[in-house]
Amino acid sequence: SAALEVFEEGTKNDPQNITNYSGAVTASTLLGKSAAERVKILERYPNLESMLTGLVFELALNRAEAGDYPGATALFQNRFFGREEGGTNVRSVWVEVKLSEAGALAQAGRCTEALAVANHLTSSVAGLAFTESGLNEIADSARSNYLLGELNAACRQKVEAERRYEAASRATDPAQFFWAMKAAKKRTPYADSVWREKLASALAQAQSRARTSSSKGWWIYSVGMLQLALG
């Protein structure tokens, strides 16, 4: 709470310093504050049109978590998204926003709309050049397939849900094994001992990559998820 107070003061005194915003969001998350409260912090940035890419992604994901999907989608318009080594791929953020939107619609019982969003997950969108290529790989990850399987199951599309779970369970990327395991649990039979061995192997690989990869944050996250899966 003391850190949050300092960072929030920083957003007033040094409003273009992104560390103040990312710090405030991190502190808010640790305090269990809502996504809507985090959005308010990020929206203090003096000019959203010139907001740096990292904060744009942060704001888009928090707006989506808060249920403001039009607001999240609007942030992708009229921007150039360059790619730095080890940086976040804009396509990953876009797919995440759309998966969140589809899942929320399904949970609300609005399956026709949910399936429409899911079925166009990899479709190109006018004015968004990054949607013209590269979406399929992200949308076909174990995590995406698992979440789409959950959506299909909620909307009583059992055959499609099973196809998604099966695809997710075949993952070979150690960073995706947590989601592969969750998908495998939806199918029978589930071999716990086999999957614990797979998860332990994936954890060792993820720990190694967390030390050497340029995408350090991603691999640290993956280590944490695998540790949770292994208890």
Side-chain angles (χ1 to χ4, degrees), residues 52-54 57 81-90 214-215:
L52 295 179
T53 299
F57 292 159
F81 294 99
R83 182 79 190 276
E84 297 179 6
E85 184 180 1
T88 303
N89 187 335
V90 61
S214 59
S215 303

Side-chain angles (χ1 to χ4, degrees), residues 19-211:
T19 302
N20 290 320
Y21 298 92
S22 58
V25 166
T26 299
S28 297
T29 302
L30 293 170
L31 289 167
K33 294 186 178 294
S34 69
E37 290 175 286
R38 299 195 297 272
V39 166
K40 288 180 181 178
I41 291 171
L42 292 164
E43 287 180 345
R44 292 177 194 160
Y45 194 81
N47 187 347
L48 294 185
E49 292 182 1
S50 64
M51 180 182 266
L52 295 179
T53 299
L55 284 187
V56 172
F57 292 159
E58 191 78 60
L59 181 54
L61 292 170
N62 278 283
R63 279 182 175 177
E65 189 178 339
D68 179 11
Y69 298 107
T73 301
L75 289 169
F76 295 91
Q77 299 287 345
N78 303 315
R79 292 183 191 274
F80 170 74
F81 294 99
R83 182 79 190 276
E84 297 179 6
E85 184 180 1
T88 303
N89 187 335
V90 61
R91 296 168 184 82
S92 296
V93 184
W94 174 259
V95 168
E96 189 68 21
V97 167
K98 290 299 164 183
L99 284 172
S100 176
E101 181 179 7
L105 288 167
Q107 288 179 3
R110 297 162 62 182
C111 282
T112 300
E113 295 166 80
L115 292 168
V117 174
N119 291 337
H120 289 89
L121 196 59
T122 59
S123 299
S124 61
V125 177
L128 300 183
F130 65 84
T131 63
E132 294 173 5
S133 64
L135 291 176
N136 286 313
E137 181 181 351
I138 297 165
D140 198 37
S141 70
R143 184 175 188 277
S144 296
N145 273 314
Y146 172 78
L147 293 175
L148 290 168
E150 291 288 90
L151 183 156
N152 291 130
C155 292
R156 299 180 181 180
Q157 293 197 328
K158 293 183 178 180
V159 173
E160 183 61 13
E162 171 62 20
R163 186 185 75 80
R164 290 288 186 179
Y165 290 142
E166 197 274 332
S169 68
R170 294 199 312 266
T172 57
D173 180 354
Q176 295 288 328
F177 266 43
F178 173 85
W179 302 100
M181 175 271 295
K182 286 179 71 71
K185 282 187 173 181
K186 298 287 184 176
R187 311 177 72 224
T188 53
Y190 174 75
D192 184 70
S193 60
V194 171
W195 273 96
R196 287 192 68 81
E197 186 176 331
K198 288 182 178 181
L199 290 167
S201 175
L203 175 59
Q205 294 178 64
Q207 287 172 325
S208 175
R209 296 195 190 186
R211 292 190 293 269

Side-chain angles (χ1 to χ4, degrees), residues 96 143 175-176 178-179 203 206 210 215-228:
E96 189 68 21
R143 184 175 188 277
Q176 295 288 328
F178 173 85
W179 302 100
L203 175 59
S215 303
K216 191 175 182 69
W218 169 245
W219 286 104
I220 291 174
Y221 163 82
S222 300
V223 166
M225 296 300 282
L226 291 164
Q227 288 172 330
L228 284 174

